[in-house]
Amino acid sequence: MDDVDHDLLAFMREAMGLTAAVKKGPRETGVLESARYIFDNSIDIALDRDSVVQAAESIYNSIRLKSYSTQTWSEHELHPKAKNENTLNFIFTMDVLNFSFWSEKSEDKRFSVVYNGKKYTGYWSLVALMNRALDEGIPITCPFFVSDPDICPDSLLEYVFRSDSEERIPLLQERITCLRESGMILCERYDGSFANCVREARHSASELIMRVADDFPCFRDEFRFEGRNVNFYKRAQILIAGLTDIWACFNSTSYGSFYDISSVTMFADYRVPVILHSMGCMMYAPKLEGHIRARKPIPSGHPWELQLRGTTIWCVELVRREIEKNHPGSKINAILIDFYLYDTAKVMEEQGEDMIPTHRTRSIWY
């Protein structure tokens, strides 16, 4: 029997008038619904309810003690201190390029950038190279500049992305393509200013996520899973609400004021599944676990990868609901839970804790 096409069924129900009236207002991202569907149809990953309940209490107490908030954004030496439209273009450019920094090489050999005498790897290497370019008079955050190959040839962008170690930045050509394409779209549709896109969303995080995903292909991570379209919009969400981005930069004011910020889910990538697995919340089928422990690659869009990402989102949502049930009024959302889990996993990794490795998927989506 052929697989059921859920999207076709939804279309037929709508055509026959069997669906509810279309809701007016900001569009919903559908990320949480996609995650629930993936979890419900997953055969390689399961969740342990008791561990989720225990994790929720532990996470709640830790977040309270560490006082996670948006106020730390501009405190980092690499982040811009101004709160204006130029900063929005900096953030936009940063998230156009913010993907796939993992490396199989040792810390001294992996891609790195030395800026102001300090060595940076991972995400921070990107922020460092952007600052380095601006210091050198290369307007890397200007969409009119990066979208024009005559004044900004590939050779110049390769120079901007240069490494201070033996490893080149991963997916160099993909980064150049994303930068040019996004710059061109920003010029054509928003007069070269991401602030115009933010304004059109009218302080709705979900609407802004959908605008970014609709208008900029490199933010549109959509896939097919078990007869249904699913989406994650990881980088679109982190652009709007990540610890390093608009909501955090503007500290919930001005361009960063979103009345529906809690509609944003956690950001499904590599590290959070590791800590949830270590906490006993996520359990893998032996074949999948063996594959990950052997550090074998998983292609982007593979059912294993979609299950990893979708189940992680749903697990964090269950943790959030448990916290909300036991501690009403705590205002702890999925974003703050993600911050805590990501940072905790990174610390455990640096301390050499015995954890399952991060899964190896090389893509532009995270």
Side-chain angles (χ1 to χ4, degrees):
M1 181 178 177
D2 294 336
D3 291 339
V4 175
D5 190 323
H6 295 273
D7 294 315
L8 178 59
L9 283 175
F11 173 78
M12 292 174 64
R13 290 191 186 103
E14 183 177 354
M16 296 172 66
L18 299 178
T19 54
V22 177
K23 176 185 172 184
K24 294 183 179 180
R27 291 173 293 170
E28 297 179 357
T29 67
V31 173
L32 194 60
E33 291 75 12
S34 292
R36 176 65 186 267
Y37 179 78
I38 291 170
F39 168 71
D40 286 344
N41 292 275
S42 174
I43 60 173
D44 299 295
I45 303 177
L47 295 178
D48 181 80
R49 178 64 188 173
D50 290 340
S51 295
V52 169
V53 171
Q54 293 172 17
E57 192 63 21
S58 172
I59 291 167
Y60 169 75
N61 291 327
S62 296
I63 288 177
R64 288 185 62 214
L65 286 173
K66 295 188 177 183
S67 301
Y68 276 82
S69 74
T70 61
Q71 296 180 5
T72 60
W73 193 93
S74 60
E75 294 175 6
H76 196 281
E77 57 191 348
L78 292 181
H79 283 153
K81 302 300 180 285
K83 302 291 188 291
N84 53 36
E85 292 190 16
N86 289 333
T87 302
L88 278 181
N89 272 9
F90 184 99
I91 292 171
F92 178 78
T93 304
M94 185 171 66
D95 280 308
V96 165
L97 302 169
N98 183 13
F99 53 81
S100 200
F101 291 100
W102 61 269
S103 174
E104 300 289 4
K105 294 186 178 295
S106 60
E107 195 67 19
D108 61 321
K109 294 182 178 179
R110 66 179 296 188
F111 172 76
S112 63
V113 172
V114 176
Y115 179 68
N116 286 341
K118 188 173 180 180
K119 178 180 176 181
Y120 296 95
T121 59
Y123 159 78
W124 294 112
S125 66
L126 170 63
V127 191
L129 71 83
M130 289 178 59
N131 279 291
R132 180 179 66 184
L134 293 172
D135 289 351
E136 294 172 346
I138 304 172
I140 190 68
T141 63
C142 174
F144 294 102
F145 177 76
V146 299
S147 61
D148 188 338
D150 291 329
I151 60 174
C152 181
D154 281 7
S155 58
L156 179 59
L157 291 177
E158 289 171 4
Y159 172 78
V160 168
F161 290 116
R162 70 190 183 276
S163 177
D164 288 309
S165 67
E166 67 177 45
E167 183 181 34
R168 297 178 74 195
I169 190 170
L171 301 180
L172 173 60
Q173 191 54 55
E174 287 82 353
R175 291 179 204 276
I176 292 174
T177 299
C178 289
L179 187 61
R180 290 202 189 284
E181 178 185 67
S182 297
M184 187 178 301
I185 295 169
L186 202 59
C187 292
E188 292 174 350
R189 301 187 186 178
Y190 298 104
D191 197 26
S193 176
F194 187 61
N196 292 328
C197 181
V198 175
R199 290 189 189 99
E200 289 187 15
R202 300 181 182 275
H203 298 288
S204 168
S206 63
E207 178 62 29
L208 184 52
I209 289 166
M210 293 306 298
R211 283 179 177 269
V212 169
D214 284 348
D215 290 347
F216 302 93
C218 72
F219 286 97
R220 196 184 306 146
D221 50 336
E222 301 171 343
F223 300 91
R224 191 82 177 167
F225 181 79
E226 294 297 323
R228 176 172 162 176
N229 293 331
V230 294
N231 59 276
F232 301 98
Y233 300 151
K234 186 267 180 181
R235 290 196 298 110
Q237 289 202 117
I238 208 167
L239 166 64
I240 278 74
L243 183 59
T244 56
D245 304 283
I246 299 172
W247 181 56
C249 170
F250 290 88
N251 197 22
S252 305
T253 63
S254 181
Y255 294 113
S257 174
F258 299 110
Y259 62 81
D260 57 350
I261 194 66
S262 290
S263 67
V264 180
T265 70
M266 62 83 60
F267 316 118
D269 55 13
Y270 307 101
R271 203 166 255 127
V272 174
V274 172
I275 184 68
L276 291 175
H277 180 272
S278 296
M279 299 174 85
C281 299
M282 288 178 61
M283 301 176 293
Y284 302 160
K287 188 174 181 179
L288 171 59
E289 180 157 347
H291 191 96
I292 294 174
R293 290 192 181 278
R295 301 176 189 271
K296 295 179 180 179
I298 301 176
S300 178
H302 188 283
W304 280 350
E305 190 227 7
L306 301 183
Q307 289 176 72
L308 281 162
R309 298 182 75 195
T311 305
T312 300
I313 294 172
W314 188 244
C315 183
V316 170
E317 172 63 14
L318 293 180
V319 167
R320 186 200 65 78
R321 292 181 183 185
E322 191 67 25
I323 292 174
E324 185 177 61
K325 181 181 74 175
N326 296 325
H327 307 279
S330 66
K331 296 183 179 180
I332 293 178
N333 57 28
I335 305 166
L336 294 177
I337 296 170
D338 182 282
F339 294 168
Y340 167 76
L341 291 173
Y342 186 93
D343 288 348
T344 301
K346 190 171 183 180
V347 169
M348 292 174 66
E349 183 181 294
E350 291 170 350
Q351 293 175 345
E353 297 281 346
D354 183 22
M355 301 189 297
I356 194 169
T358 56
H359 64 278
R360 263 55 177 172
T361 298
R362 184 72 77 188
S363 79
I364 71 167
W365 305 121
Y366 56 99

